[in-house]
Amino acid sequence: MQTTRKQPLPAGKKSATDVAAFREKILHYLKFTCGKSQQEASSKDITHALSLAIREDLINGMIDTSDRYHQKKAKRLYYLSMEFLVGRSLGNNLFNLEVFDLAENALRQIGVDLEEIREHETDAALGNGGLGRLAACFLDSLATMDMPGYGYGLNYEFGLFRQEIANGYQREKPGRWDGENSPWLITRSSEFCMIPVYGKIDHSLHTGEDYNPVWLDWQLIVGVPHDMPIVGYGGKTINYLRLFSARASDEFDIQIFNDGDYFQAVSQKISSETVSKVLYPSDSVIQGKESRLVQEFFLVACSVQDIIRKFQKDHRDFTKLPEKVALHMNDTHPALAVAELMRVLIDEHSLEWETAWDITRKTCAYTNHTLLPEALEKWPVSLFERVLPRHLQIIYEINHRFLEEVKVNFPHDENIPTRMSLIEEQSGKQVNMAHLAIVGSHSINGVAALHSNLVRSSLFPDFATMWPDRFNNKTNGVTQRRWLLKANPALSKLITETIGDEWITNLKVLKRLADFATDPKFQKKFMEVKSENKKQLAKLIQDKARVKVKPESLFDIQIKRIHEYKRQLLNVLCIIHSYLNIIEDKAPLEVPRTHIFAGKAAPGYAMAKLIIKLINSVGQVVNNDKRAQKYLKVVMLPDYCVSLAEKIIPAADLSEQISIAGMEASGTGNMKLTLNGALTIGTLDGANIEIMEEVGRDNIFIFGLEVEDIEKMRSENSYNPWDYYANNPNIRRVMDALSSDMFSQERPGLFNDIYNSIMYGGDFYCHLADLQSYIFTQQQVSELYAKPQQWAEKAILNVARVGKFSSDRTIEEYAREIWNLKSVTK
């Protein structure tokens, strides 16, 4: 039976009739779903009713989009990622459906402020940071560009922890996202996946004596999918993010129950459903490693099973799989997709090894996001054998055949098989997951030009030599719909009034703003927008951190995960220098500064958590010293998340991108801040280099050692922090202050570990080597900020020249060069 479906609400101005109809739709859901009258409804109830009112249009659009793809027999992309940091969806959906004004007017008629109720939506904390936020940006771009692209992830009950700051220390609290009751999740119970884990291999033989291992005695976990609509700008295409929840297998539980062991049945149920409870279980102990391996396999197995099932609806010939399916692994976590796809093709569909391997390689692609060894996962073979015995067999076979290929390609290098093997032997046998992802993919890319070069030259040089054509670069990008249109409506309005609204779907047209960079009237309007954003952030800082800051001060922003390589510590050392200048040298800053930090440290990362304490301790001393109050404030906003970033970024004057050169893969925070008119101070690391190339060397503040300098120092073992301490009075005074308990009077010696890591631990992240250059460059920042017209010109040029860094451009490159994916329009 054919049904008539409503089209998404149209763009453009809405009549009074449209507004009244939408108001009634909201009130309908308020009454019949929330069970509330308007008079007794809370703001949260109204938020839920509004979300349900536009959900109708999202579901209609999803169905129409799916029908269109099916009719066109389109190739589909499946983007596997352990993280999707989507944040809040209500405002984003209203903007992309172009019904924000309609909703605002409808709510106004019932005496409700849209901005106020949007605050009642909880962030979907399904990620940790840049990796997950990038994945969310990619989904937005895919839908906006009418491309058949779907995200596949896990429906964590407890995503990234909620961070509280107590006495300057990070305290982790459960960060529950109530996905069960989210209006944005559509449960697809009938499309469940049955996922086997553990068990053993029966080494039986066919009658023809072909080896036929059988995986037996496994435990089953059920994967229940939930779809979150992802609406492209304008509402023409609505894809989805499919999130899997783990559930216990009824059959398995009943079996145990019938055997008379009720408590074991309940225990098994709890154990199975824990798989999707928490984002990244700690892998510091073997139990945590096991949980994390099961979690990663659960994502991969659900995804592959779902992908194959969708493929088989229209196709029977598996050799056509690469023509119809692109499976992309977002970092190393989903690398098991290679082994699982091979297992499904061989064990469940009886393909020959060579055929299955050709299909797998042509279907899979892999993005590397980090040079840090800690993120390039390796699993003990003993653990693998217990959890995934069949997959270990497959990986051994992949490795055997691959190493034969290596020997042919490198006949004179007897050590190269050891370096390239999927199985490492040095410190106990381990499966190298990055090697598995590389060997099983037709494309391997980095995420910035420098990073991709380092992937080839430093991280995987042997693989790049063997397969140079497989390695490529895809510089990251961000979606301007979320990070300018939604996050900074005042600046968006000014840009649209000045150059039109084409930039919303073609960010390159921002270059037209360059013509207005020296226009005094436009500069005034531009800086008024910034000033108003800073006033709003100052109020938030007062509410959240109980610190009063001056909106007219320079807002110096460092917002990102707390990690030693990102060098929040370098920033703090410079703040200490500024503070000592004020109180000891009686040399006030040329312009007042407000240093704003936000970010979370991994719960088990002691040094990062100590750096958080240092930031807050320095802030407590500085903010309460009357000698410094007029010139310097230090603030750390707790619980950094997407919605908080949307408030901080539009107010930033200076963007801190100061990682040690050669460690940051790309960065996307740098792009978001530049897009919103912040000038960057940074090293030549990650995408900073490409931002500099786009905005111009005169419109960015670059300091510090470059990759080659650091590599040379390390190879020659020539870096000695004590030389900088002895020869530079600024550095000596800062380090003496750090060790003197100036900032830890309540607990003497509290920051000794930080001091010792620099002075006695070799200062691996080269803080002292870059500190004087950083101090000097920060002085240049102050000198420029004291010249408002020149600052405004450079800030406008940063916005005008950031067009390259749209995720639309990134997705276009992936689609053309890796996925062979096409736009599918009506």
Side-chain angles (χ1 to χ4, degrees):
M1 179 178 176
Q2 190 171 11
T3 58
T4 302
R5 294 192 290 269
K6 297 177 184 178
Q7 294 299 313
L9 292 162
K13 294 183 178 179
K14 309 298 178 187
S15 68
T17 304
D18 294 325
V19 174
F22 196 59
R23 179 195 67 215
E24 292 306 311
K25 187 187 287 190
I26 296 169
L27 293 175
H28 171 86
Y29 282 109
L30 189 62
K31 181 177 182 179
F32 292 105
T33 301
C34 300
K36 298 285 183 73
S37 68
Q38 182 184 336
Q39 289 71 31
E40 63 182 348
S42 66
S43 295
K44 190 172 182 179
D45 293 327
I46 295 172
T47 303
H48 195 71
L50 172 60
S51 300
L52 292 172
I54 66 170
R55 178 174 131 141
E56 279 189 22
D57 302 286
L58 295 176
I59 293 175
N60 281 331
M62 282 175 62
I63 294 171
D64 289 338
T65 299
S66 181
D67 288 349
R68 185 166 82 241
Y69 294 161
H70 181 75
Q71 290 166 7
K72 299 289 182 70
K73 298 180 180 179
K75 182 176 185 178
R76 290 169 170 80
L77 160 72
Y78 301 97
Y79 195 81
L80 275 60
S81 178
M82 289 291 286
E83 301 185 37
F84 286 94
L85 199 57
V86 294
R88 295 172 177 171
S89 294
L90 176 57
N92 199 67
N93 289 337
L94 290 171
F95 274 105
N96 278 9
L97 285 171
E98 298 184 280
V99 295
F100 189 91
D101 291 342
L102 175 66
E104 191 171 44
N105 291 331
L107 289 171
R108 190 177 293 123
Q109 290 188 358
I110 60 174
V112 174
D113 178 33
L114 176 56
E115 286 302 316
E116 180 184 334
I117 70 163
R118 284 170 61 195
E119 292 299 313
H120 290 276
E121 183 181 11
T122 304
D123 276 50
L126 303 174
N128 183 39
L131 179 78
R133 186 53 233 171
L134 178 77
C137 285
F138 280 4
L139 295 184
D140 176 275
S141 289
L142 284 160
T144 297
M145 300 168 75
D146 303 308
M147 290 185 176
Y150 303 92
Y152 274 51
L154 295 183
N155 187 30
Y156 303 106
E157 183 176 339
F158 297 94
L160 190 60
F161 62 86
R162 181 166 53 86
Q163 180 196 55
E164 293 182 357
I165 302 295
N167 192 30
Y169 291 95
Q170 172 178 293
R171 295 286 182 258
E172 299 95 23
K173 301 290 183 180
R176 182 166 188 157
W177 177 57
D178 192 12
E180 292 287 333
N181 298 310
S182 170
W184 311 120
L185 281 190
I186 304 158
T187 302
R188 309 290 194 187
S189 299
S190 63
E191 299 180 40
F192 66 88
C193 302
M194 304 293 283
I195 308 304
V197 290
Y198 300 105
K200 63 184 180 182
I201 300 299
D202 180 6
H203 302 277
S204 61
L205 294 175
H206 267 315
T207 53
E209 306 226 345
D210 290 332
Y211 181 55
N212 180 39
V214 180
W215 188 5
L216 299 173
D217 297 340
W218 23 253
Q219 299 175 19
L220 278 177
I221 305 173
V222 179
V224 179
H226 313 265
D227 291 343
M228 177 182 287
I230 304 295
V231 56
Y233 186 74
K236 298 187 299 296
T237 293
I238 302 180
N239 297 326
Y240 56 80
L241 164 61
R242 177 155 284 198
L243 300 168
F244 294 95
S245 295
R247 298 288 181 262
S249 162
D250 291 340
E251 294 87 348
F252 192 72
D253 287 344
I254 290 171
Q255 173 75 41
I256 299 174
F257 185 80
N258 289 341
D259 288 343
D261 195 339
Y262 171 79
F263 291 103
Q264 186 184 347
V266 173
S267 176
Q268 175 59 38
K269 177 177 173 62
I270 293 170
S271 176
S272 296
E273 297 186 358
T274 298
V275 171
S276 61
K277 284 278 185 187
V278 183
L279 170 68
Y280 294 162
S282 171
D283 63 356
S284 58
V285 295
I286 190 65
Q287 292 89 344
K289 287 182 183 294
E290 183 169 329
S291 298
R292 188 156 171 176
L293 178 58
V294 171
Q295 186 180 74
E296 292 182 3
F297 174 66
F298 177 73
L299 166 63
V300 161
C302 287
S303 300
V304 170
Q305 192 173 130
D306 199 56
I307 291 166
I308 294 295
R309 186 162 52 199
K310 290 182 184 336
F311 173 79
Q312 285 190 293
K313 286 182 179 179
D314 296 309
H315 309 281
R316 288 290 176 266
D317 181 0
F318 277 101
T319 62
K320 302 294 184 185
L321 188 69
E323 296 176 21
K324 296 300 179 182
V325 169
L327 188 158
H328 201 94
M329 297 174 283
N330 189 32
D331 217 359
T332 314
H333 313 118
L336 272 166
V338 174
E340 173 64 2
L341 184 54
M342 283 295 291
R343 186 195 69 81
V344 169
L345 293 175
I346 292 169
D347 291 0
E348 297 184 10
H349 298 284
S350 303
L351 270 65
E352 295 294 331
W353 180 279
E354 290 79 7
T355 303
W357 185 239
D358 184 60
I359 292 168
T360 297
R361 266 192 174 171
K362 289 177 178 177
T363 302
C364 294
Y366 163 57
T367 295
N368 172 275
H369 282 279
T370 182
L371 301 170
L372 296 174
E374 66 201 52
L376 297 170
E377 292 181 314
K378 299 174 184 179
W379 299 108
V381 165
S382 57
L383 173 63
F384 225 103
E385 189 169 26
R386 183 169 70 257
V387 176
L388 300 170
R390 178 61 179 137
H391 295 77
L392 182 62
Q393 276 193 320
I394 290 170
I395 290 169
Y396 267 115
E397 183 63 22
I398 291 171
N399 194 46
H400 170 72
R401 293 173 184 244
F402 167 62
L403 291 182
E404 291 300 313
E405 196 178 346
V406 168
K407 291 174 185 176
V408 171
N409 281 271
F410 303 98
H412 305 298
D413 189 341
E414 62 182 21
N415 296 318
I416 203 166
T418 301
R419 297 198 303 269
M420 299 180 74
S421 177
L422 277 59
I423 309 297
E424 296 189 356
E425 307 274 356
Q426 294 92 329
S427 52
K429 284 191 174 183
Q430 298 187 98
V431 182
N432 187 312
M433 300 307 289
H435 287 189
L436 175 63
I438 292 170
V439 171
S441 296
H442 69 274
S443 172
I444 302 97
N445 72 279
V447 291
L450 174 63
H451 171 241
S452 295
N453 288 336
L454 290 171
V455 166
R456 292 188 192 96
S457 62
S458 301
L459 196 60
F460 306 122
D462 297 322
F463 292 93
T465 300
M466 185 168 173
W467 296 314
D469 295 340
R470 292 191 193 180
F471 284 77
N472 59 91
N473 175 59
K474 299 289 174 283
T475 297
N476 284 342
V478 301
T479 169
Q480 63 267 31
R481 272 82 57 184
R482 168 77 73 155
W483 294 108
L484 184 52
L485 181 67
K486 177 178 182 288
N488 199 342
L491 181 56
S492 298
K493 182 180 179 183
L494 176 61
I495 292 171
T496 296
E497 289 173 348
T498 307
I499 64 170
D501 65 359
E502 186 184 349
W503 63 270
I504 298 172
T505 53
N506 180 10
L507 198 61
K508 291 179 181 178
V509 303
L510 283 183
K511 63 185 178 183
R512 298 172 190 165
L513 285 177
D515 295 338
F516 301 89
T518 57
D519 182 338
K521 291 182 180 179
F522 185 79
Q523 285 185 349
K524 182 173 183 292
K525 292 178 181 178
F526 184 90
M527 295 311 293
E528 283 173 350
V529 167
K530 180 68 71 174
S531 177
E532 185 57 35
N533 290 335
K534 291 171 71 174
K535 289 176 184 176
Q536 292 176 18
L537 181 57
K539 183 179 183 304
L540 185 145
I541 290 170
Q542 177 75 48
D543 294 342
K544 297 278 188 183
R546 299 290 184 260
V547 178
K548 188 174 182 179
V549 304
K550 297 179 180 179
E552 61 271 19
S553 65
L554 190 161
F555 277 20
D556 184 329
I557 308 287
Q558 190 170 17
I559 46 174
K560 53 185 78 249
R561 180 165 51 98
I562 309 298
H563 197 291
E564 288 171 278
Y565 90 83
K566 292 180 182 288
R567 296 204 298 190
Q568 285 89 356
L569 179 55
L570 181 65
N571 193 345
V572 177
L573 295 177
C574 187
I575 293 170
I576 294 172
H577 167 77
S578 298
Y579 175 64
L580 295 175
N581 272 353
I582 295 168
I583 65 168
E584 292 186 359
D585 300 342
K586 307 298 187 288
L589 301 182
E590 187 168 355
V591 295
R593 288 223 189 192
T594 299
H595 292 270
I596 301 168
F597 295 85
K600 299 178 181 180
Y605 193 171
M607 184 59 74
K609 295 175 82 170
L610 189 58
I611 290 170
I612 289 176
K613 173 60 176 172
L614 178 62
I615 292 168
N616 286 290
S617 294
V618 170
Q620 186 176 28
V621 170
V622 169
N623 298 342
N624 291 300
D625 191 327
K626 293 181 179 179
R627 297 169 293 178
Q629 280 185 348
K630 288 171 55 179
Y631 308 106
L632 195 60
K633 288 292 177 70
V634 182
V635 178
M636 183 159 195
L637 287 169
D639 204 31
Y640 184 54
C641 58
V642 173
S643 54
L644 180 57
E646 290 175 8
K647 295 178 174 67
I648 297 174
I649 288 171
D653 291 311
L654 187 67
S655 165
E656 296 273 355
Q657 308 298 331
I658 58 176
S659 55
I660 179 174
M663 297 294 279
E664 185 72 83
S666 174
T668 51
N670 48 8
M671 301 169 190
K672 295 164 194 168
L673 285 150
T674 303
L675 180 63
N676 282 270
L679 273 63
T680 299
I681 182 168
T683 55
L684 288 175
D685 193 29
N688 289 353
I689 299 169
E690 290 163 81
I691 291 175
M692 180 187 71
E693 292 169 352
E694 295 295 314
V695 305
R697 185 65 177 80
D698 294 336
N699 299 308
I700 190 171
F701 299 98
I702 298 296
F703 75 94
L705 298 170
E706 297 183 27
V707 172
E708 295 77 10
D709 302 322
I710 295 167
E711 288 178 347
K712 183 179 180 182
M713 281 197 319
R714 286 179 176 162
S715 66
E716 297 175 351
N717 198 26
S718 60
Y719 174 49
N720 183 359
W722 286 101
D723 292 339
Y724 291 85
Y725 177 91
N727 296 324
N728 188 307
N730 288 330
I731 292 175
R732 183 163 60 252
R733 183 166 68 166
V734 167
M735 295 307 296
D736 287 348
L738 182 63
S739 66
S740 71
D741 299 322
M742 178 182 289
F743 305 106
S744 58
Q745 292 181 13
E746 82 286 359
R747 187 177 167 187
L750 176 60
F751 301 118
N752 283 352
D753 284 350
I754 294 177
Y755 179 86
N756 292 337
S757 73
I758 293 175
M759 302 308 302
Y760 297 101
D763 190 17
F764 184 77
Y765 299 100
C766 300
H767 293 88
L768 299 195
D770 275 351
L771 181 55
Q772 185 57 54
S773 174
Y774 182 50
I775 290 170
F776 175 75
T777 307
Q778 285 284 20
Q779 180 59 34
Q780 292 180 311
V781 172
S782 295
E783 291 169 2
L784 180 66
Y785 194 76
K787 303 170 184 175
Q789 287 184 323
Q790 291 184 30
W791 184 277
E793 178 184 349
K794 292 180 183 296
I796 293 166
L797 286 174
N798 268 261
V799 177
R801 295 173 178 174
V802 77
K804 171 182 175 178
F805 301 102
S806 169
S807 52
D808 297 349
R809 185 268 314 155
T810 312
I811 287 298
E812 185 179 32
E813 292 179 3
Y814 273 103
R816 183 179 64 249
E817 299 171 18
I818 297 177
W819 302 328
N820 191 27
L821 199 67
K822 309 291 184 184
S823 295
V824 180
T825 56
K826 291 183 179 179

